[in-house]
C-alpha cells in the first residue's frame, strides 16, 4: 500500500470562492494528511521513496474516502490507524486520505473541526491529485473521528457545498453534553475507557469542565443537530460496540435518523455490528468492497 504525507494548507484551493477558507486557516498550524492507495492511480501524488516497485498509470479510482482518526481528540494519528486503512485501501480499491488534525488541549474546538472541514473541501477540489475521479466520496471516522466526520458532513450541508455520498461511523462520540445514560455508566467499571478519561477528553476538546458543559452546536455535539440538517444527511452507517460507554450515542442518533427516515437500511439498530469493546474497530476491520 502506498503512503504519502502532504501539507494541505500549502496547496491553495482553485477559484476565488474558496479564499475565505484560506483566510480562516491563517491561524492554524500545518495540516498533514496521509494518502493510502493500493494502486498508483493516474495523476496521483506519490512518494517515490515509500513506493518502491509500484506500478503507476492505473485509471483514476471512482471513489474517495476521507478519514478522521479517533483518540479522544487528544491522541493517535493517521499512522496509528494505518493497519485497517491499508486493508480498506486494498478491499475498496480506492484512495484514502486520512487527516492529521491538531490535537487537544493545545488545539481546542473549533480548530480540529475546522481543519477537518478544510481538508475535506481541499480533497474535493484536488481529488485528481489523490488519484480519484471523486464520483462518490465517503467520510469515515471512529470515536472522536466519528464526531468529526459527522461534524464535517453537517458543516458541508450548512455551507451549501458538496455533501459526502455516505458517512461511516464507528462507536462515534455524538453527544458531547454531560449526561448520564446506561452505557455511560459502563465507564464507572470500564478498564479501557473509564469515566474519568471521557471527561478529561471532553474538557480538553471544549476547554470547559466536562460536568459543566452543555451545547446546542451541532458541529460540536452532532446529536444536537436540527431537523433541517438531519433531513439533508446522506446515508449514514453506524457501527457500535455492545460494551462501550459511547453505545447510547449511536443508539440515540440512529433513533433520530429513523425518525426522519434517514436510515441506511431497513433498521438502523438491527444492522449495527456489535463488537465487544471500544477500539475493536482497529483490530477487526470489516469494510468490504461490497459496502
Amino acid at each position: 500500500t502506498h503512503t504519502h504525507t502532504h501539507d494541505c494548507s500549502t496547496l491553495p484551493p482553485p477559484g476565488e470562492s474558496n479564499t475565505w477558507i484560506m483566510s480562516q486557516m491563517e491561524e492554524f498550524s500545518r495540516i498533514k494528511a496521509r494518502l493510502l492507495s493500493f494502486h498508483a492511480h493516474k495523476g496521483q501524488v506519490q512518494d517515490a521513496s515509500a513506493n518502491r516497485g509500484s506500478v503507476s498509470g492505473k485509471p483514476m479510482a471512482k471513489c474517495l474516502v476521507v478519514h478522521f482518526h479517533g483518540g479522544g481528540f487528544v491522541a493517535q494519528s493517521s499512522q496509528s490507524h494505518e493497519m485497517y486503512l491499508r486493508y480498506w485501501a486494498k478491499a475498496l480499491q480506492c484512495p484514502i486520505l486520512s487527516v492529521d488534525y491538531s490535537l487537544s488541549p493545545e488545539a481546542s474546538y473549533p480548530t480540529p473541526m475546522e481543519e477537518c472541514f478544510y481538508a475535506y473541501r481541499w480533497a474535493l477540489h484536488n481529488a485528481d491529485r489523490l488519484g480519484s475521479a471523486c464520483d462518490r466520496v465517503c467520510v469515515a471516522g471512529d470515536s472522536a473521528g466519528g464526531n468529526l466526520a459527522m461534524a464535517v458532513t453537517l458543516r458541508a450541508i450548512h455551507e451549501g457545498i458538496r455533501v459526502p455520498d455516505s458517512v461511516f461511523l464507528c462507536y462515534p462520540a455524538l453527544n458531547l453534553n454531560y449526561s448520564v445514560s446506561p452505557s455511560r455508566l459502563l465507564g464507572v467499571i470500564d478498564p479501557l475507557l473509564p469515566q474519568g478519561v471521557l471527561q478529561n477528553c471532553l474538557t480538553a476538546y471544549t476547554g470547559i469542565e466536562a460536568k459543566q458543559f452543555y451545547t446546542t452546536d451541532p458541529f460540536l455535539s452532532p446529536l444536537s443537530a436540527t431537523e433541517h440538517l438531519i433531513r439533508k444527511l446522506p446515508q449514514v452507517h453506524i457501527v457500535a460496540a455492545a460494551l462501550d460507554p459511547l453505545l447510547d450515542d449511536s443508539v440515540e442518533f440512529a433513533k433520530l435518523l429513523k425518525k426522519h427516515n434517514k436510515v441506511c437500511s431497513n433498521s438502523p439498530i438491527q444492522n449495527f455490528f456489535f463488537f465487544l469493546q471500544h477500539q475493536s474497530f482497529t483490530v477487526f476491520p470489516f469494510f468490504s468492497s461490497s459496502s
Side-chain angles (χ1 to χ4, degrees):
T1 303
H2 315 307
T3 60
H4 179 70
T5 302
H6 58 83
D7 178 7
C8 294
S9 63
T10 63
L11 301 173
E16 292 298 324
S17 61
N18 297 320
T19 304
W20 65 275
I21 292 186
M22 293 301 293
S23 64
Q24 284 187 349
M25 294 303 300
E26 288 177 358
E27 63 183 88
F28 298 150
S29 61
R30 295 175 55 183
I31 304 174
K32 292 185 178 180
R34 185 177 299 269
L35 177 61
L36 298 100
S37 179
F38 185 70
H39 296 292
H41 295 277
K42 182 179 179 181
Q44 192 173 57
V45 176
Q46 295 187 48
D47 183 345
S49 63
N51 300 319
R52 293 187 297 272
S54 65
V55 179
S56 60
K58 278 190 172 290
M60 283 189 176
K62 294 183 178 181
C63 304
L64 175 67
V65 175
V66 181
H67 170 263
F68 309 104
H69 67 80
F73 303 105
V74 301
Q76 306 299 320
S77 66
S78 61
Q79 188 171 15
S80 65
H81 287 55
E82 191 173 312
M83 181 184 70
Y84 71 81
L85 291 179
R86 285 175 174 265
Y87 176 87
W88 284 9
K90 182 177 180 180
L92 298 174
Q93 296 289 295
C94 76
I96 298 175
L97 185 71
S98 185
V99 181
D100 282 310
Y101 52 88
S102 298
L103 300 177
S104 302
E106 290 77 13
S108 59
Y109 180 83
T111 298
M113 186 275 294
E114 293 281 3
E115 290 180 349
C116 290
F117 181 63
Y118 173 83
Y120 167 74
R121 189 161 183 174
W122 180 91
L124 293 182
H125 287 285
N126 294 273
D128 57 332
R129 302 189 62 174
L130 304 176
S132 174
C134 213
D135 293 344
R136 291 182 60 81
V137 59
C138 171
V139 294
D142 66 291
S143 193
N147 173 286
L148 293 168
M150 181 52 66
V152 165
T153 304
L154 294 171
R155 180 71 180 271
I157 294 172
H158 177 74
E159 298 291 346
I161 69 168
R162 178 177 175 178
V163 177
D165 296 285
S166 60
V167 183
F168 184 75
L169 311 174
C170 193
Y171 43 79
L174 298 174
N175 180 15
L176 265 60
N177 290 316
Y178 182 76
S179 63
V180 177
S181 70
S183 72
R184 293 292 171 92
L185 291 176
L186 288 174
V188 177
I189 58 174
D190 193 299
L192 185 62
L193 199 63
Q195 187 65 25
V197 171
L198 284 173
Q199 293 180 4
N200 288 339
C201 290
L202 178 59
T203 299
Y205 186 53
T206 65
I208 302 174
E209 177 63 34
K211 292 184 178 181
Q212 302 174 356
F213 185 74
Y214 179 81
T215 183
T216 58
D217 182 352
F219 310 138
L220 179 56
S221 184
L223 197 57
S224 302
T226 63
E227 178 179 343
H228 169 74
L229 292 174
I230 294 295
R231 286 189 178 277
K232 292 188 176 183
L233 281 173
Q235 288 187 339
V236 179
H237 303 257
I238 304 177
V239 176
L243 301 180
D244 182 14
L246 298 180
L247 172 62
D248 289 343
D249 291 32
S250 295
V251 172
E252 292 303 315
F253 200 76
K255 289 180 179 179
L256 190 61
L257 293 173
K258 185 175 182 180
K259 177 182 177 181
H260 297 295
N261 298 316
K262 300 298 296 185
V263 184
C264 63
S265 54
N266 292 333
S267 172
I269 303 299
Q270 293 177 2
N271 283 291
F272 281 174
F273 291 81
F274 285 92
F275 291 100
L276 289 180
Q277 285 187 322
H278 200 88
Q279 295 296 343
S280 59
F281 177 52
T282 61
V283 180
F284 301 106
F286 49 82
F287 205 2
S288 67
S289 57
S290 61
S291 300

